[in-house]
Amino acid sequence: MAIILDGKKLRDKILNELTIKINTYSNKPSLAVILVGDNPASKLYVNNKKKIAEKIGINSQIFEYESNTNEKEIIKKIKELNADKNITAILVQLPLPKHISREKILSAIDPQKDVDGLSPINFGKLFSGLKPYAYPCTPKGILLLLDEYNIEIEGRKVVIIGRSNLVGKPLAQMMLDRNATVTVCHRHTKNLTEITKTADILISATGEYIVKGEMLKHGCVVVDVGIFKDSTGKTRGDIDFENASKIASYITPVPGGVGPMTIASLMINTVELYLNNKNA
Ligand code: GUN
């Protein structure tokens, strides 16, 4: 049976360490979160981020907007937050309503306050071999989790399913930076199983239940980024956990794997941006 990559346990360890550190700061880091629309999952995530931030000593404010709010109003708020010395980190929860340009919104965030590392400056830095002010939270969390279990990355074959800006693309680059051989698959990939069978480390981030046990190589490491409710209301990920855990050497559970690590990374990034921000 595969060893469980316990994201909750590592998250708690990281949060404890951060709490002690933050306690020693004279000012507190402060995270502003912008939420547009009434997507229930986004609301849940945002409230959870605020709750955890406050628990470890980070000030956090949520700015909520109706789904029909126009782009200009959000950009105006971001500019205000950019200029506000009391705000050290800004996060715009994604996805945004269709009429709002994600690129325009992310471009408006001061790169030094861009806690998700998704603004074009930080994304550009990542892809050109420069250090961004912050690394995207989910990929960062996955690497922290693999490192915690001493899973070797250098020289290994990493297969990522999903090419989103949030996960697949930045993760591919971060794996390349760690000297992995990386393949990125997506909905147009042909013969997916042929490729996943070669993976030493397989990461799936599609939000669809697509990875079956027989698609895996014996002893591989499996990371599931997906989380959704299936038709019976059960929370599940992209990967058939029951069968995959008989084949893999390590596997993330859903929930309790990558999700908590995204939050942990967000808190680390918030503290790092604060420390860079000469207010500390
Ligand atoms: N929506 C789902 N995951 C994320 C994330 O990591 N950051 C932001 N901003 N939005 C998300």
Side-chain angles (χ1 to χ4, degrees):
M1 279 298 277
I3 294 170
I4 300 289
L5 295 167
D6 190 341
K8 262 194 192 162
K9 190 166 143 199
L10 179 56
R11 173 200 64 193
D12 290 345
K13 181 171 133 188
I14 290 169
L15 295 183
N16 283 335
E17 287 166 5
L18 287 176
T19 308
I20 294 165
K21 245 172 134 174
I22 294 167
N23 239 324
T24 65
Y25 303 155
S26 47
N27 299 317
K28 297 295 173 216
S30 57
L31 170 66
V33 179
I34 295 179
L35 173 64
V36 190
D38 47 17
N39 180 326
S42 290
K43 272 199 174 172
L44 205 71
Y45 292 145
V46 158
N47 287 329
N48 200 27
K49 287 169 183 175
K50 179 176 160 69
K51 199 174 84 193
I52 291 183
E54 289 183 341
K55 199 167 145 206
I56 67 168
I58 292 170
N59 293 328
S60 179
Q61 257 178 294
I62 301 174
F63 299 92
E64 276 192 68
Y65 293 88
E66 308 264 342
S67 54
N68 62 0
T69 308
N70 72 41
E71 206 170 81
K72 281 207 180 101
E73 196 177 334
I74 313 286
I75 291 175
K76 189 169 150 243
K77 184 71 205 174
I78 292 172
K79 290 194 169 153
E80 249 174 67
L81 295 168
N82 286 344
D84 185 340
K85 288 195 173 48
N86 294 317
I87 298 290
T88 52
I90 302 169
L91 180 150
V92 178
Q93 186 65 26
L94 302 170
L96 290 162
K98 286 209 167 46
H99 69 279
I100 296 179
S101 154
R102 172 194 155 118
E103 284 62 42
K104 280 191 192 152
I105 295 293
L106 293 177
S107 302
I109 303 172
D110 176 346
Q112 299 200 46
K113 295 189 179 188
D114 168 27
V115 73
D116 262 329
L118 296 174
S119 72
I121 298 274
N122 282 322
F123 227 53
K125 279 176 179 275
L126 174 64
F127 283 91
S128 44
L130 300 170
K131 197 171 178 301
Y133 291 104
Y135 288 88
C137 298
T138 300
K140 177 173 176 148
I142 291 169
L143 286 170
L144 288 171
L145 191 56
L146 296 177
D147 288 343
E148 177 71 7
Y149 287 81
N150 295 313
I151 291 166
E152 177 112 40
I153 292 171
E154 183 165 309
R156 302 194 76 190
K157 176 94 200 269
V158 174
V159 173
I160 300 168
I161 312 178
R163 56 177 163 176
S164 69
N165 281 9
L166 267 179
V167 185
K169 266 190 236 164
L171 180 60
Q173 183 59 45
M174 288 159 77
M175 285 290 187
L176 276 177
D177 291 345
R178 296 280 300 265
N179 298 321
T181 301
V182 183
T183 304
V184 181
C185 304
H186 46 78
R187 65 179 72 252
H188 300 281
T189 299
K190 302 209 167 55
N191 304 323
L192 183 61
T193 299
E194 252 175 48
I195 300 169
T196 58
K197 274 268 189 196
T198 68
D200 299 314
I201 303 176
L202 177 77
I203 300 152
S204 186
T206 67
E208 287 172 40
Y209 182 47
I210 58 165
V211 180
K212 311 291 179 236
E214 61 269 20
M215 294 168 70
L216 306 173
K217 178 167 86 174
H218 263 275
C220 68
V221 176
V222 187
V223 176
D224 195 341
V225 185
I227 183 160
F228 53 93
K229 290 220 193 289
D230 69 12
S231 54
T232 68
K234 183 179 178 315
T235 297
R236 64 171 331 129
D238 294 0
I239 297 171
D240 173 0
F241 181 87
E242 200 185 325
N243 287 311
S245 58
K246 291 176 192 150
I247 295 163
S249 55
Y250 292 88
I251 189 165
T252 58
V254 176
V258 174
M261 290 309 301
T262 298
I263 291 262
S265 301
L266 174 65
M267 298 305 144
I268 296 173
N269 283 353
T270 304
V271 170
E272 284 178 356
L273 292 186
Y274 162 80
L275 291 175
N276 289 341
N277 193 289
K278 68 254 156 215
N279 256 329

